[in-house]
Amino acid sequence: VNYGSAPSDYSTDVVANKAGKFLETTQEPFFLYVAPYTPHGPFIPAPRHIGAYANRTMPRFPNFNEADVSDKPAWVRNLTLTDPNLEDGNRRSQHEMLLSVDEMVEKIVATVGAKGILDRTVIIYMTDNGYSHGEHRYRQKLCEYEECIRTPLKIRYPFSQSKTLDALVQNIDIAPTLADFVGIPFNTADGLSILPLL
């Protein structure tokens, strides 16, 4: 579906509204998968969030534009230095874009809460990859460094106490976990259910 370019047509908001309508009209049990494009490039925040972090200094890690890469593989040694101003601008825009994701998550949780089913609804929040903004001189998302591979995975699992785990899990573990939630055998995936960890 092609949408216009009005502020109300911002893709994350469109997805959030569709998710909200689904939740308002569906019956239990249900499964809702929401995957906004945000914060992929081009890095354009929702109009209401443009400039929200204009006066914030963006974090730079010690490995940004790493000066000595002699201990790195050839593909890293061949990378040129990153423009700090460009990467600060991109990171700032991504942070502003994520404000619309925050609002979307808030809307979904509030809608589930209004239906009175938050105490029996599992919510999984994750991303598909990280992103390097010049760390080890690399820009983009396909690298073997922490910036690219260490990503958030948060699960609101209302049937146990809150905890933080250091177990290694990946997105390939999500399908077996969902099957485990509802008691369906799922033996053909590469991943494993993380339900026992929860």
Side-chain angles (χ1 to χ4, degrees):
V1 174
N2 189 21
Y3 291 87
S5 57
S8 60
D9 294 323
Y10 190 70
S11 67
T12 304
D13 296 340
V14 170
V15 170
N17 289 333
K18 288 181 175 291
K21 286 177 185 173
F22 170 82
L23 289 170
E24 290 167 1
T25 58
T26 195
Q27 301 297 313
E28 291 184 86
F30 66 87
F31 175 80
L32 172 63
Y33 178 90
V34 182
Y37 187 74
T38 298
H40 287 82
F43 306 123
I44 303 171
R48 65 188 175 280
H49 297 135
I50 293 174
Y53 294 126
N55 298 321
R56 300 267 180 109
T57 300
M58 290 293 105
R60 279 209 200 126
F61 304 102
N63 60 3
F64 178 81
N65 266 347
E66 191 172 354
D68 180 9
V69 291
S70 61
D71 62 335
K72 301 295 184 290
W75 70 268
V76 175
R77 292 193 307 269
N78 291 331
L79 295 173
T80 58
L81 294 177
T82 300
D83 178 351
N85 294 323
L86 174 65
E87 289 309 320
D88 285 354
N90 287 341
R91 191 181 300 248
R92 186 174 288 110
S93 292
Q94 282 185 304
H95 286 208
E96 292 172 354
M97 290 172 78
L98 286 170
L99 293 172
S100 64
V101 175
D102 289 346
E103 293 168 350
M104 180 186 69
V105 171
E106 183 179 27
K107 180 176 188 168
I108 289 170
V109 172
T111 305
V112 171
K115 288 178 74 95
I117 58 172
L118 197 55
D119 63 341
R120 61 182 184 269
T121 301
V122 176
I123 299 173
I124 300 174
Y125 179 89
M126 64 182 292
T127 185
D128 57 347
N129 57 262
Y131 196 92
S132 181
H133 282 281
E135 291 78 21
H136 303 295
R137 300 184 181 182
Y138 186 75
R139 298 177 304 277
Q140 292 293 330
K141 60 185 178 181
L142 303 175
C143 70
E144 295 82 14
Y145 293 110
E146 294 293 304
E147 293 77 17
C148 295
I149 62 173
R150 185 171 295 274
T151 60
L153 170 62
K154 297 182 181 227
I155 301 177
R156 185 184 184 283
Y157 187 71
F159 310 109
S160 69
Q161 294 296 317
S162 212
K163 56 185 148 185
T164 300
L165 302 172
D166 291 326
L168 179 62
V169 296
Q170 295 183 330
N171 56 5
I172 60 172
D173 299 321
I174 299 304
T177 302
L178 295 173
D180 206 3
F181 283 156
V182 295
I184 298 172
F186 197 84
N187 303 321
T188 58
D190 291 331
L192 298 170
S193 172
I194 61 175
L195 183 56
L197 297 175
L198 302 177

